[in-house]
């Protein structure tokens, strides 16, 4: 209980201690106005009441703007800063939102859900997935028959010399309507392996979408925690400015009483100027963090994102008792990157069969009907020859119809229709370039398959390395929390001693300035350690392939 009470006072300790010292200064008697006192050390003094009011104002502002409180060694609570504690950078702009026109409160779960629904990278990858889906469906059409339909209408006029030595006049419009089906029974396996290859590529795109989703969840959580960190650092910078202002006020009062020199005032002004610039930079850094997060969420940059969860604590998402070998095995089984490259490896293997298919024969079956029409008359002879080929056949050969009938005709001519039926099978074996062209394509496909296998092995090594790096980084950040806790305690005590020594007249202002700077840096390191540990846990979740909205926001470890 005592330790928690001490941590509650960490963020305001330096300010309250210095204000206590300043309150003592208001009771100091006025120095003698003798002529032997250096005039430059005693500028006109406006009265004790003005000093008291000024100190009361500083004390009230320090109390009202209390922000980052380290309530536990691994937990920090952040209060929304008062606008008057910030520095106005541009007229008609909020010193907190800066260029933003409105504000929106967010939580970790909200930004993760928004990222999955609005992130542009996920939408682009999903478009690739749908494209590969329909490419796969299109390859299934190769297993269905080919429908052949055509219509040809011509006007034929002249004489036809037949092989039988007869010259027949031709003067008739001619209509041809071929219709049929063509089915490839065997094409060297090209249809089958093309469909398998497309299916593997479709599966690879699904795993790629999973990879991209994991990356976006990880990046969104990292950017959210970065925004939280910038809010914490903003509060720390506000306190640093308030402490420097109080120190400057103290030096100005002592200078008015002739208790110190102009150099002390200038040193305090320099320290205040540095802290004010650091606060300005931190205001900008917080706004940039909000913009980075809104960009990932594909939101309008005019809306400023404000952290809704004001308590940030150390969150363990992976059980500390998990061994690295178990984490690596989990990653191998779950990481979508490995599954993606496995599908691409299988697709490359199918590409070898596709390249080999032209070296094998093709077996094609066909069936069809051709309707012909022309001005014809009845024949008196039973002998008729129909041997003129038609245009628009069925892949091999074609349909024929009679352009001339050998024999006597009688009666008037009229436009009449007739049908021709066709059914058959065709075996074709065509090897281009004496087989060299297709053989080279087969060899190239084999090298591509070997490349896909090597890329899978490379991805596997990267996954193992990423798991180990994330695991070690998590250990580093966890121990850093303990180290920074000691650093904060030491810096706080250093500041207390520096203020006490200054009160007792055995210390100087520079000691307080240095102690205050060290204390501010220690608080920043502490806040960094807590947030970086949470980010490291999220990175370890992603490395093991267990990342999701539920696992990131889980109150207890996911892998136990």
């Amino acid at each position: 209980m005592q330790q928690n009470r001490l941590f509650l006072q960490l963020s305001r300790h330096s300010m309250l201690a210095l204000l206590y010292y300043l309150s003592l200064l208001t009771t100091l008697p006025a120095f003698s106005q003798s002529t032997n006192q250096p005039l430059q050390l005693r500028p006109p003094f406006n009265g004790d009441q003005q000093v008291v009011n000024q100190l009361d104002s500083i004390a009230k502002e320090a109390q009202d703007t209390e922000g980052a409180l380290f309530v536990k060694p691994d937990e920090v609570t952040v209060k929304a800063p008062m606008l008057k504690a910030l520095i106005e950078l541009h007229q008609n702009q909020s010193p907190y939102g800066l260029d933003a026109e409105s504000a929106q409160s967010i939580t970790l779960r909200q930004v993760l859900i928004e990222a999955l629904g609005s992130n542009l990278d996920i939408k682009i990858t999903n478009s690739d997935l749908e494209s590969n889906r329909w490419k796969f469906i299109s390859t299934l059409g190769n297993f269905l028959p080919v429908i052949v339909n055509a219509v040809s209408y011509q006007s034929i006029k002249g004489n036809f010399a037949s092989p039988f030595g007869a010259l027949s006049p031709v003067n008739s419009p001619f209509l041809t309507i071929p219709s049929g089906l063509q089915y490839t029974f065997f094409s060297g396996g090209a249809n089958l392996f093309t469909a398998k290859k497309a299916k593997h590529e479709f599966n690879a795109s699904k795993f790629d979408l999973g990879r991209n989703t994991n990356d976006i969840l990880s990046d969104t959580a990292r950017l959210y925690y970065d925004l939280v960190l910038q809010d914490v650092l903003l509060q720390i910078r506000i306190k640093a400015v308030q402490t420097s202002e109080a120190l400057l006020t103290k030096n100005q009062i002592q200078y008015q009483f002739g208790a110190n020199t102009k150099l002390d005032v200038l040193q305090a002004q320099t320290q205040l100027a540095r802290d004010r610039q650091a606060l300005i930079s931190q205001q900008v850094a917080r706004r940039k963090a909000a913009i980075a997060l809104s960009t990932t969420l594909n939101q309008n940059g005019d809306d400023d994102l404000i952290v809704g969860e004001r308590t940030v604590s150390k969150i363990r998402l992976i059980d500390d008792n998990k061994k690295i070998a178990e984490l690596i095995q989990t990653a191998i089984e779950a990481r979508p990157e490995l599954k993606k490259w496995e599908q691409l490896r299988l697709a490359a293997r199918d590409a070898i069969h596709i390249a080999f298919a032209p070296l094998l024969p093709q077996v094609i079956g066909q069936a069809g009907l051709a309707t012909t029409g022309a001005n014809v008359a009845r024949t008196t002879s039973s002998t008729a020859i129909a041997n003129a080929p038609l245009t628009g056949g069925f892949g091999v050969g074609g349909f024929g119809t009679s352009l001339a009938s050998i024999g006597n005709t009688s009666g008037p001519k009229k436009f009449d229709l007739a049908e021709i039926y066709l059914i058959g099978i065709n075996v074709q074996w065509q090897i281009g370039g004496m087989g060299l062209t297709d053989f080279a394509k087969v060899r190239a496909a084999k090298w591509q398959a070997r490349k896909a296998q090597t890329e899978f092995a490379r991805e596997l090594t990267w996954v193992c390395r990423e798991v180990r790096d994330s695991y070690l980084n998590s250990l580093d950040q966890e121990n850093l929390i303990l180290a920074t806790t000691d650093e904060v305690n030491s810096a706080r005590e250093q500041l207390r001693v520096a203020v006490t020594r200054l009160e007792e007249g055995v210390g100087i202002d520079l000691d307080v300035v240095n102690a205050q700077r060290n204390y501010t840096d220690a608080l920043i390191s502490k806040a960094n350690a807590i947030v970086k540990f949470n980010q490291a846990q999220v990175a370890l979740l992603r490395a093991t392939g267990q990342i999701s909205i539920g696992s990131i926001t889980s109150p207890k470890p996911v892998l136990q």
Side-chain angles (χ1 to χ4, degrees):
M1 188 67 182
Q2 181 66 22
Q3 184 181 13
N4 291 344
R5 190 177 298 109
L6 290 175
F7 276 104
L8 281 171
Q9 297 175 355
L10 283 176
S11 64
R12 57 178 177 176
H13 181 276
S14 61
M15 185 63 191
L16 296 179
L18 194 54
L19 290 175
Y20 171 74
Y21 174 69
L22 292 176
S23 65
L24 296 178
L25 293 179
T26 60
T27 62
L28 292 178
F31 282 90
S32 173
Q33 304 292 326
S34 59
T35 57
N36 58 355
Q37 190 76 15
L39 293 180
Q40 63 272 21
L41 295 180
R42 295 185 295 105
F45 181 53
N46 295 329
D48 291 347
Q49 187 59 42
Q50 182 178 354
V51 174
V52 172
N53 293 339
Q54 186 176 5
L55 293 176
D56 290 343
S57 176
I58 295 175
K60 185 177 185 304
E61 183 176 0
Q63 187 68 28
D64 292 342
T65 59
E66 184 176 30
L69 301 177
F70 289 88
V71 297
K72 294 180 181 179
D74 55 357
E75 183 175 312
V76 57
T77 298
V78 186
K79 182 180 177 181
M82 297 183 65
L83 295 183
K84 68 177 182 179
L86 301 174
I87 300 175
E88 185 175 344
L89 303 181
H90 192 276
Q91 189 177 5
N92 299 327
Q93 280 188 349
S94 168
Y96 188 72
L98 298 182
D99 62 314
E101 297 181 358
S102 58
Q104 175 186 355
S105 178
I106 57 171
T107 63
L108 179 57
R109 176 174 288 274
Q110 287 175 348
V111 297
L112 292 175
I113 295 175
E114 183 69 21
L116 291 185
S118 303
N119 182 264
L120 295 180
D121 289 340
I122 292 181
K123 291 183 177 181
I124 291 173
T125 308
N126 187 66
S127 298
D128 292 336
L129 170 64
E130 293 301 320
S131 175
N132 287 326
R133 181 199 304 275
W134 288 105
K135 287 180 181 178
F136 167 61
I137 294 176
S138 70
T139 61
L140 300 180
N142 296 330
F143 295 98
L144 301 177
V146 178
I147 300 176
V148 179
N149 286 296
V151 176
S152 175
Y153 184 82
Q154 299 171 327
S155 179
I156 302 176
K157 185 176 183 181
N159 296 306
F160 175 71
S162 71
F164 301 98
L167 186 65
S168 301
V170 179
N171 185 12
S172 172
F174 185 69
L175 175 67
T176 307
I177 308 176
S179 300
L181 296 176
Q182 176 178 302
Y183 185 77
T184 302
F185 291 101
F186 181 74
S187 60
N191 291 348
L192 174 62
F193 290 105
T194 298
K196 291 181 63 177
K197 178 175 178 291
K199 182 179 179 180
H200 289 312
E201 290 176 344
F202 169 54
N203 290 335
S205 63
K206 288 195 294 185
F207 291 123
D208 190 50
L209 178 60
R211 174 202 61 80
N212 201 4
T213 300
N214 290 352
D215 289 344
I216 295 304
L217 287 176
S218 177
D219 289 343
T220 302
R222 177 181 57 82
L223 292 173
Y224 174 83
Y225 280 123
D226 186 58
L227 178 59
V228 172
L229 175 61
Q230 300 306 322
D231 255 340
V232 175
L233 298 185
L234 183 64
Q235 297 288 352
I236 295 174
R237 291 299 183 186
I238 289 174
K239 286 306 179 183
V241 169
Q242 291 175 347
T243 303
S244 295
E245 288 176 345
L247 185 61
L248 176 60
T249 302
K250 178 194 74 69
N251 279 280
Q252 288 175 338
I253 293 172
Q254 287 186 327
Y255 176 60
Q256 290 173 347
F257 281 102
N260 61 11
T261 65
K262 187 69 172 179
L263 178 60
D264 297 318
V265 177
L266 294 177
Q267 287 177 339
Q269 288 177 340
T270 301
Q271 178 64 25
L272 176 59
R274 291 175 179 174
D275 288 334
R276 282 177 59 86
Q277 182 56 47
L279 176 57
I280 291 174
S281 299
Q282 189 57 44
Q283 291 176 217
V284 174
R286 192 217 64 84
R287 175 57 182 150
K288 285 183 177 180
I291 293 175
L293 181 57
S294 64
T295 301
T296 300
L297 301 180
N298 191 27
Q299 290 185 353
N300 191 346
D302 291 337
D303 294 333
D304 187 31
L305 301 181
I306 300 176
V307 176
E309 299 170 341
R310 286 293 173 178
T311 299
V312 183
S313 58
K314 170 186 170 184
I315 300 176
R316 178 170 292 281
L317 302 178
I318 302 293
D319 195 338
D320 191 35
N321 296 323
K322 274 289 184 180
K323 297 181 179 180
I324 185 64
E326 297 175 334
L327 296 178
I328 291 178
Q329 184 61 36
T330 301
I332 293 176
E333 295 174 356
R335 283 290 289 268
E337 292 89 338
L338 296 179
K339 297 179 181 180
K340 167 192 172 183
W341 284 109
E342 173 63 16
Q343 292 297 320
L344 292 179
R345 184 187 68 82
L346 296 175
R349 190 180 64 178
D350 292 332
I352 299 175
H353 297 283
I354 296 174
F356 188 76
L359 296 175
L360 300 177
Q362 287 185 329
V363 180
I364 303 175
Q366 54 191 8
L369 165 68
T371 300
T372 59
N375 289 329
V376 296
R378 295 288 180 177
T379 60
T380 58
S381 174
S382 61
T383 303
I385 301 176
N387 58 4
L390 287 177
T391 61
F394 296 91
V396 290
F399 292 114
T401 189
S402 172
L403 293 181
S405 297
I406 308 300
N408 297 323
T409 60
S410 63
K413 292 182 178 182
K414 66 176 183 178
F415 192 85
D416 200 0
L417 299 176
E419 290 80 22
I420 299 177
Y421 300 93
L422 171 69
I423 186 170
I425 191 169
N426 178 36
V427 179
Q428 178 178 321
W429 196 348
Q430 181 177 350
I431 302 178
M434 298 296 293
L436 178 61
T437 302
D438 295 321
F439 175 77
K441 290 181 179 180
V442 171
R443 297 298 300 175
K446 288 184 177 180
W447 279 105
Q448 288 295 321
R450 182 174 298 182
K451 174 186 175 184
Q453 177 66 36
T454 305
E455 288 176 331
F456 173 82
R458 181 184 63 179
E459 188 69 29
L460 179 59
T461 59
W462 284 353
V463 167
C464 295
R465 174 186 172 183
E466 188 175 357
V467 173
R468 292 185 181 274
D469 288 346
S470 301
Y471 177 78
L472 295 175
N473 189 39
S474 179
L475 291 179
D476 180 34
Q477 298 301 327
E478 183 175 20
N479 285 275
L480 187 59
I481 294 177
L482 301 177
T484 53
T485 299
D486 295 336
E487 182 182 357
V488 168
N489 293 334
S490 175
R492 180 188 58 191
E493 181 64 17
Q494 179 187 3
L495 179 60
R496 188 190 68 80
V497 170
V499 173
T500 302
R501 286 172 58 86
L502 188 62
E503 293 174 356
E504 299 296 332
V506 294
I508 59 176
D509 289 341
L510 187 59
D511 295 335
V512 178
V513 170
N514 292 331
Q516 187 264 333
R517 185 186 300 114
N518 293 337
Y519 184 60
T520 300
D521 293 341
L523 291 177
I524 292 175
S525 299
K526 173 80 173 183
N528 265 298
I530 295 176
V531 173
K532 294 298 183 184
F533 175 80
N534 291 347
Q535 291 177 333
Q537 285 288 293
V538 173
L540 186 56
L541 268 183
R542 179 196 171 279
T544 55
Q546 303 299 312
I547 191 170
S548 64
I549 296 178
S551 62
I552 294 177
T553 58
S554 174
K556 59 182 181 179
V558 177
L559 295 179
Q560 297 181 353

